[in-house]
Amino acid sequence: MTRVPEQQTPRGAAGPHGVAGGAAEDDLRALFGQSTAVFASLAGPAHMLETANDAFFAAIGGSERGRTGVPLGQFMPELAEQGFTALLDRVYRTGKPYTGRDARVVLGQGDAAREAFFDFTYEPRLDVGGNVVGVRVIGVETTQVKHAQRLTAEHRVLLEQIARQAPLPEVLEGMARAIEELAPEEVLVSVLLADADGRRLRHGAAPSLPDFYNQAIDGIATGEGVGSCGTAAHRRRPVIITDIATDPFWDDFRELAGRAGVAACWSTPILARDGSLLGTFAMYHRVPRAPREADLALARVFADTAALAVERHHDERARRAAEDRERAARDDLAFLLEASTTLASDLDADQTLGRLAASCVPRLAPLCAVDVIEGGRVRRIATAAPARDRRELLASHIPVYDAADDAVARVLASGISEVARRTPTGPGPWHDLGVTGYLCVPLTDRGATFGTVTLLSTGEHAFDGHAVALAEELARRAASAARNARQYTHRVTLARDLQAGLLLPELPRVPGADVATYYHPAGEGLDIGGDFYDIFPLDDGSWAFLLGDVCGRGAMAATTTALVRHTARAVAPLLPGPQDVVRAVNRALTNRPDSHGTGFVTLVHGRLTPTPDGLDVELVRAGHTLPLHLDARHTAHPVDSPGTLLGISADPRVTSHRLRLRRHESLLLYTDGLTEARDAHGEQFGDQRLADALTATPHHPTAQQVIDTLTRAVRAFTGNREIDDDQAVLVLTAT
């Protein structure tokens, strides 16, 4: 066994890749070599070798090739073919010296030939009489310098490739070819790259090794005794095997090396700045061979170059991976934000879950179904698929709530997501839909599972951890949106029911009168409005009516509205006239507890009595908008009856006003939400437009026609913009 002792790191020897500068200088000195001076003294026209130094014999191939007392052309016939003998002849003949620079000469013949470069001088040798008796040869061999310069140029090219982030395979192959072409002896270069965990080596570049060899060693383990490269990677130090045929490190690979025609392998680990393993740099030889210092320096320099290339590749790959992750995170966030906006755009729980299914396809899966529990049974509330027939087929399948073999039932019971790369267990149209996997995610509200989202794979689609996390987050947001929608629906229903309780469920039939009402709340209908109206009979055959506006909205306004209406209904049959009723309502307002509200109330209250030719009306206005009287000439007159707000002072100042509505004449009572409605420029509808709209009604209008004309005029003015205040109207028309 022949193994060169391992190179130790105390000497440095790590070159330009961030290690000691002294080591790099040593490597460069070894690459460029020492200047070698050669000397030979030749005699006579045959140029017989009289004497020469050891460097001369080493340069021409050893002392066995050149001997003193023998003509130069006899043991170096190649010089004549290259013109060097003719130059010697000229110097001998003319007596004039000749100097050559960077002269290329091939020394030896056949397989033993080598390329060399010299700076040399041929000087004539003179006797005492000045006659030429021979030629003196003095030269400096620059072969190693020449090769090192060419290697340096190639090294610079590699560094430029690394700097411009050329692909790693391109850099490594270029490096291998450069070394193979420029090395003085035949060498086969191989670069293996370490896995992330450093346990295995993968093929990086080896342009001159056979493909079968590269394939065989691709993926070899790092470890003691695993060839040259596996051992060097394990030790983190160079391993030099000079004879593969006898070295035990190559026991498992000896036959492979024989088929590849390699007999020696010197491997240097490629290490990162932090000392972690990046790979190995190996130099193979066809014959058993030990390295010289220049060989080891070359290996170290290019191992460092490879380390720089691999680290730059890893950094670039990490940067791209980080950008991909950031891009994916942005895409996920955009998807979730868009889906959340879509889910929150509808305040109906069923439609919200329908939007959930639509959001999942095709972003998360080709097929989606949403199921909820209702009355102890599962109801499939939404499906999504690329084609209508597939959507309908999926919608036709209803899971069984208590079936142990049904994925939906299991997730409903456990509240834990379930994912599988197979069709769901239990019956279903899985074959017809081409289902190959599923993900079932719970919909949870305050810890209770009320439904599931089932995503179905087809073809090559599969769910990974990222898809599961995204689906679970979307399900969480959808469950929250569905809960908000249900709460909104419940609040709207409650507000609607309470508002209906504060208004007339249906209008009574009033003798001699046509009665119509209109109520439109502001906002989304979540709060109870403060506008109200009422009409009810009295014992003497007359009818009481009222329309008012409570300050504020919501529960307090509802409490005050109920107080006003119920007080009026209770005292009106007992008191002589509208003034007394309004004062009684005011006492009730001023005596209410603070917890029931402190806001003021505007009110119009009156009595109407049917007569043979119309309606006699007596009314009181307490701080409210002026009623309008549409007379027989189709003219609108405000009905002014001075009065102050209710609920402010203990003794409100109110006066009574009487008028007669003759046949087809109308009395319009309304809240300020009608006149204060605004257009796009902020201008109010106002009293004049209201009066104009009233006179624009048909001749002899019904009470409902009056309301329809007014509301159309307001909508045309506002452009159907959302109103800021409730609107209430009561119209009394004499028939």
Side-chain angles (χ1 to χ4, degrees), residues 291-625:
R292 295 170 303 197
E293 179 58 28
D295 297 321
L296 298 176
L298 181 70
R300 288 190 293 266
V301 168
F302 279 95
D304 285 336
T305 305
L308 184 62
V310 175
E311 279 203 289
R312 177 65 66 90
H313 171 72
H314 287 177
D315 292 344
E316 179 64 15
R317 188 169 60 184
R319 183 188 65 80
R320 290 179 180 176
E323 289 179 351
D324 290 343
R325 289 193 299 272
E326 181 182 359
R327 189 180 303 108
R330 288 199 304 267
D331 291 344
D332 289 347
L333 181 59
F335 166 69
L336 288 173
L337 289 175
E338 182 180 357
S340 298
T341 302
T342 301
L343 293 172
S345 65
D346 203 306
L347 294 174
D348 180 273
D350 286 359
Q351 292 186 15
T352 296
L353 296 178
R355 293 178 185 272
L356 167 62
S359 297
C360 290
V361 175
R363 179 67 163 79
L364 298 181
L367 302 169
C368 179
V370 180
D371 301 292
V372 296
I373 305 172
E374 290 184 356
R377 303 177 69 87
V378 175
R379 180 167 74 94
R380 179 144 291 178
I381 200 169
T383 58
R388 179 178 178 181
D389 57 336
R390 295 168 67 80
R391 186 169 61 252
E392 292 176 349
L393 181 59
L394 187 59
S396 66
H397 168 250
I398 305 298
V400 180
Y401 180 38
D402 55 357
D405 64 344
D406 192 279
V408 171
R410 289 194 298 271
V411 173
L412 287 172
S414 67
I416 300 174
S417 300
E418 185 174 310
V419 61
R421 292 191 176 185
R422 55 172 173 78
T423 58
T425 55
W430 317 129
H431 177 74
D432 294 338
L433 291 171
V435 174
T436 56
Y438 68 91
L439 167 61
C440 190
V441 179
L443 292 168
T444 305
D445 182 11
R446 295 184 178 90
T449 302
F450 68 89
T452 63
V453 184
T454 304
L455 304 173
L456 300 171
S457 293
T458 60
E460 297 299 320
H461 180 273
F463 298 105
D464 55 15
H466 171 261
V468 173
L470 201 58
E472 289 179 335
E473 175 61 20
L474 183 59
R476 184 188 67 78
R477 297 185 181 210
S480 176
R483 179 180 69 245
N484 293 338
R486 286 194 297 271
Q487 290 177 341
Y488 175 83
T489 301
H490 293 161
R491 289 183 62 186
V492 168
T493 301
L494 178 62
R496 187 185 301 115
D497 292 345
L498 186 54
Q499 189 77 64
L502 297 175
L503 300 174
L504 291 173
E506 60 180 29
L507 292 175
R509 297 178 62 85
V510 179
D514 178 19
V515 181
T517 59
Y518 171 76
Y519 178 78
H520 182 51
E524 297 178 338
L526 290 175
D527 289 331
I528 301 142
D531 292 6
F532 62 92
Y533 54 79
D534 198 2
I535 184 166
F536 53 90
L538 300 176
D539 296 338
D540 61 359
S542 62
W543 289 74
F545 63 88
L546 65 156
L547 181 141
D549 188 357
V550 174
C551 176
R553 297 178 61 80
M556 287 298 182
T559 301
T560 302
T561 298
L563 178 64
V564 172
R565 287 189 63 226
H566 295 318
T567 299
R569 277 185 173 256
V571 303
L574 306 176
L575 297 178
Q579 287 179 290
D580 303 298
V581 173
V582 169
R583 291 191 179 96
V585 169
N586 186 71
R587 282 195 296 275
L589 290 172
T590 54
N591 292 334
R592 62 187 159 168
D594 290 342
S595 60
H596 289 186
T598 57
F600 60 85
V601 176
T602 67
L603 181 68
V604 175
H605 168 59
R607 293 184 180 181
L608 62 86
T609 304
T611 64
D613 58 350
L615 297 172
D616 283 343
V617 177
E618 180 184 4
L619 61 82
V620 172
R621 187 178 68 88
H624 199 73
T625 55

Side-chain angles (χ1 to χ4, degrees), residues 5-316:
E6 299 165 8
Q7 298 299 307
Q8 301 297 318
T9 54
R11 196 181 69 80
H17 194 60
V19 189
E25 291 298 324
D26 290 343
D27 289 338
L28 293 175
R29 189 177 300 110
L31 279 175
F32 281 93
Q34 305 294 331
S35 296
T36 303
V38 297
F39 167 81
S41 182
L42 307 177
H47 311 303
M48 182 180 66
L49 181 63
E50 283 187 342
T51 184
N53 65 354
D54 291 339
F56 176 82
F57 290 113
I60 68 173
S63 58
E64 70 278 359
R65 187 166 181 243
R67 296 183 304 278
T68 57
V70 177
L72 186 66
Q74 185 174 328
F75 60 83
M76 295 185 68
E78 66 269 20
L79 294 183
E81 300 171 2
Q82 300 173 69
F84 291 99
T85 302
L87 290 175
L88 288 170
D89 292 342
R90 188 174 76 180
V91 173
Y92 184 84
R93 186 176 64 252
T94 63
K96 294 180 179 180
Y98 176 85
T99 299
R101 298 292 182 188
D102 261 345
R104 177 183 179 273
V105 56
V106 177
L107 299 173
Q109 294 178 321
D111 293 338
R114 76 177 182 92
E115 180 185 55
F117 292 86
F118 289 88
D119 290 342
F120 68 94
T121 299
Y122 293 167
E123 295 180 349
R125 293 173 55 202
L126 304 176
D127 61 11
V128 293
N131 299 311
V132 177
V133 296
V135 178
R136 183 181 297 111
V137 178
I138 302 171
V140 176
E141 183 173 359
T142 60
T143 304
Q144 198 172 7
V145 173
K146 196 73 171 178
H147 287 165
Q149 288 173 340
R150 290 161 66 182
L151 282 171
T152 301
E154 292 292 340
H155 187 250
R156 185 182 302 111
V157 171
L158 292 174
L159 293 177
E160 291 174 354
Q161 285 183 309
I162 295 170
R164 63 178 174 84
Q165 298 181 344
L168 181 62
E170 178 183 320
V171 174
L172 296 181
E173 180 154 341
M175 180 182 72
R177 291 191 182 279
I179 297 171
E180 291 174 350
E181 291 174 3
L182 298 177
E185 293 83 15
E186 182 183 16
V187 62
L188 310 177
V189 175
S190 169
V191 178
L192 298 178
L193 301 176
D195 285 345
D197 57 6
R199 294 181 179 180
R200 293 195 174 274
L201 298 172
R202 305 290 177 183
H203 174 70
S208 298
L209 286 170
D211 289 340
F212 73 83
Y213 185 86
N214 292 330
Q215 293 169 7
I217 66 171
D218 184 23
I220 64 168
T222 60
E224 187 69 18
V226 185
S228 302
C229 295
T231 306
H234 172 69
R235 293 180 178 180
R236 303 294 203 272
R237 294 192 300 272
V239 171
I240 309 300
I241 305 299
T242 61
D243 190 355
I244 289 174
T246 60
D247 197 290
F249 284 5
W250 280 80
D251 286 348
D252 295 335
F253 307 99
R254 189 167 292 115
E255 187 275 333
L256 180 67
R259 287 198 294 128
V262 292
C265 180
W266 316 333
S267 182
T268 303
I270 302 172
L271 302 178
R273 285 182 291 266
D274 60 1
S276 60
L277 180 68
L278 299 175
T280 59
F281 171 82
M283 301 172 70
Y284 289 85
H285 297 272
R286 298 290 189 187
V287 295
R289 184 170 178 272
R292 295 170 303 197
E293 179 58 28
D295 297 321
L296 298 176
L298 181 70
R300 288 190 293 266
V301 168
F302 279 95
D304 285 336
T305 305
L308 184 62
V310 175
E311 279 203 289
R312 177 65 66 90
H313 171 72
H314 287 177
D315 292 344
E316 179 64 15

